[in-house]
């Protein structure tokens, strides 16, 4: 994209999760990292890149092809607007995308009108176990899909210090479990099973020191009658040496068998009537986050920019995820199933 043939990437944000973004970009021969911006200049400088505490200055001086926004939701819209005004043509933005659906719609429209490619950094669908499950479903491994359950059990939500050491803003999010976390599985379930036709949610708050919900059930219905359940509880854990690898366990069942996802990242398939399953993806050995899914997503973006191939999770498509999220909260508030076809 640049004259030298490498994609110039600048990053906005140098907090906890940003480390995975920087590490990924640095491993790509096609990418040149040209700047890091953070309100805390010390954190930006710690990346080893040209450091800034002003986004406009970084955009002027670094002249990136791509801006990677690694900030909390309340800062997304302003940063995207500023990047559009500076002529950046590709923007990647972390999730949760913007503060609310209306703001996300406005920003997606602004980017589209300006000819800007805006991608949401929704990386869970890029985790290797979900790629393996998608391939197995496409190959008919479970026959006709009937139902799925993901049990979200990160074990990090107990006590007055919950989240303070890693992402302290979690405690003050008025919408927490769904907006910050379950949104990953709203998107991943869309990737695996297609768009749902209805949702029903029962949400609750267990830890009194946080503002938002931290446990609950979300039931998704599909046009073929299948169901998928997100069963989330941030207080409880699961069997794993690294609770943040898969963050839980999954079971996907159909007429011919079942797929199981374990806490070590392994996936097995058990045929209907069989006593034991066959491993189709071994345990994950990546020491970083989520099976190196950040890198898989960013490699996908770079490949798309270089080849012109279609990109996953562009902002206009991702609005569907946020519409489902809004329906989840509406269902929990009203205590009834929400038909997603009636919009």
């Amino acid at each position: 994209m640049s004259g030298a043939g490498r994609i110039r990437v600048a990053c906005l944000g140098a907090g906890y999760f940003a480390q995975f973004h920087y590490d990924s970009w640095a491993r790509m021969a096609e990418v040149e990292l040209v700047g890091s911006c953070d309100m805390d200049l010390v954190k930006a400088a710690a990346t080893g890149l040209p450091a800034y505490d002003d986004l406009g200055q970084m955009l002027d001086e670094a002249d990136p092809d791509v801006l990677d926004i690694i900030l909390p939701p309340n800062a997304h819209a302003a940063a995207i607007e500023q990047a559009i005004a500076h002529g950046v043509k590709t923007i990647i933005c972390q999730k949760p995308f913007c503060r609310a659906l209306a703001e996300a719609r406005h920003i997606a429209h602004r980017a589209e009108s300006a000819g800007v490619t805006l991608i949401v950094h929704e990386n869970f669908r890029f985790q290797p176990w979900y790629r393996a499950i998608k391939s197995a479903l496409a190959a008919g491994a479970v026959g006709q899909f009937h139902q799925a359950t993901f049990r979200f059990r990160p074990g990090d939500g107990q006590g007055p210090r919950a989240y303070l050491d890693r992402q302290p803003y979690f405690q003050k999010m008025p919408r927490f479990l769904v907006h910050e976390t379950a949104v990953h599985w709203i998107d991943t379930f869309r990737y695996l099973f297609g768009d749902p036709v209805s949702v029903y949610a029962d949400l609750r708050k267990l830890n009194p020191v946080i503002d938002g919900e931290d446990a609950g059930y979300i039931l998704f219905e599909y046009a073929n009658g299948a169901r998928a359940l997100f069963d989330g509880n941030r207080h409880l854990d699961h069997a794993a040496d690294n609770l943040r690898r898969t963050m839980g366990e999954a079971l996907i069942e159909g007429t011919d068998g079942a797929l199981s996802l374990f806490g070590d990242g392994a996936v097995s398939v058990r045929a209907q009537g069989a006593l034991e399953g066959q491993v189709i993806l071994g345990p994950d050995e990546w020491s970083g986050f989520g099976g190196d899914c950040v890198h898989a997503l960013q490699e996908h973006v770079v490949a798309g920019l270089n080849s012109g191939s279609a990109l996953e999770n562009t902002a206009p498509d991702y609005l569907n995820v946020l519409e489902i999220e809004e329906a989840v909260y509406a269902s929990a508030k009203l205590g009834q199933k929400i038909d997603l076809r009636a919009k």
Side-chain angles (χ1 to χ4, degrees), residues 106-313:
H106 170 73
I107 288 299
H109 177 71
R110 283 280 294 115
E112 191 171 28
S113 298
V116 171
T117 300
L118 176 57
I119 302 143
V120 179
H121 203 298
E122 179 53 80
N123 48 59
F124 274 42
R125 64 161 61 196
F126 287 90
Q127 291 174 343
W129 36 91
Y130 292 126
R131 290 323 221 202
I133 289 170
K134 176 75 169 180
S135 295
L137 289 172
V142 303
Q144 181 183 352
F145 166 61
H146 274 198
Q147 60 192 61
T149 300
F150 183 83
R151 297 174 64 253
F152 175 71
R153 299 290 190 270
D156 61 356
Q158 297 186 22
R161 290 202 53 80
Y163 321 117
L164 291 182
D165 295 334
R166 190 179 69 245
Q167 289 160 297
Y169 65 92
F170 278 8
Q171 284 202 1
K172 299 303 180 184
M173 294 181 73
R175 291 182 168 189
F176 180 42
L177 177 69
V178 182
H179 185 59
E180 201 291 323
T181 307
V183 71
H184 284 306
W185 282 274
I186 293 175
D187 179 70
T188 299
F189 283 2
R190 286 185 73 229
Y191 168 68
L192 294 175
F193 314 127
D195 283 310
V197 296
S198 76
V199 295
Y200 176 80
D202 178 7
L203 307 177
R204 56 183 173 148
K205 182 169 77 169
L206 299 175
N207 191 334
V209 306
I210 67 167
D211 290 348
E213 79 286 355
D214 56 2
Y217 300 99
I218 308 171
L219 182 64
F220 302 88
E221 177 189 7
Y222 299 91
N224 64 355
R227 302 290 197 273
L229 175 67
F230 174 84
D231 167 8
N233 188 317
R234 294 204 73 126
H235 287 231
L236 309 180
D237 70 358
H238 63 288
D241 62 308
N242 176 3
L243 292 173
R244 287 177 57 77
R245 181 186 290 110
T246 64
M247 296 194 181
E249 301 166 323
L251 181 64
I252 300 166
E253 301 170 279
T255 54
D256 294 342
L259 290 159
S260 295
L261 166 64
F262 302 97
D264 60 4
V267 178
S268 72
V269 59
R270 183 188 63 82
Q272 179 87 350
L275 295 179
E276 296 184 0
Q278 176 185 356
V279 175
I280 60 172
L281 179 70
D284 177 55
E285 297 181 354
W286 181 250
S287 60
F289 177 77
D292 210 11
C293 61
V294 170
H295 190 56
L297 183 152
Q298 293 178 183
E299 280 193 316
H300 165 74
V301 171
V302 167
L305 294 177
N306 282 331
S307 69
S309 58
L311 294 169
E312 296 183 36
N313 284 342

Side-chain angles (χ1 to χ4, degrees), residues 8-10 34 58-67 87-89:
R8 297 171 59 83
V9 176
V34 296
M58 181 175 74
L59 295 177
D60 285 337
E61 295 183 7
D63 189 28
D65 300 312
V66 175
L67 177 66
V88 180
K89 289 301 181 184

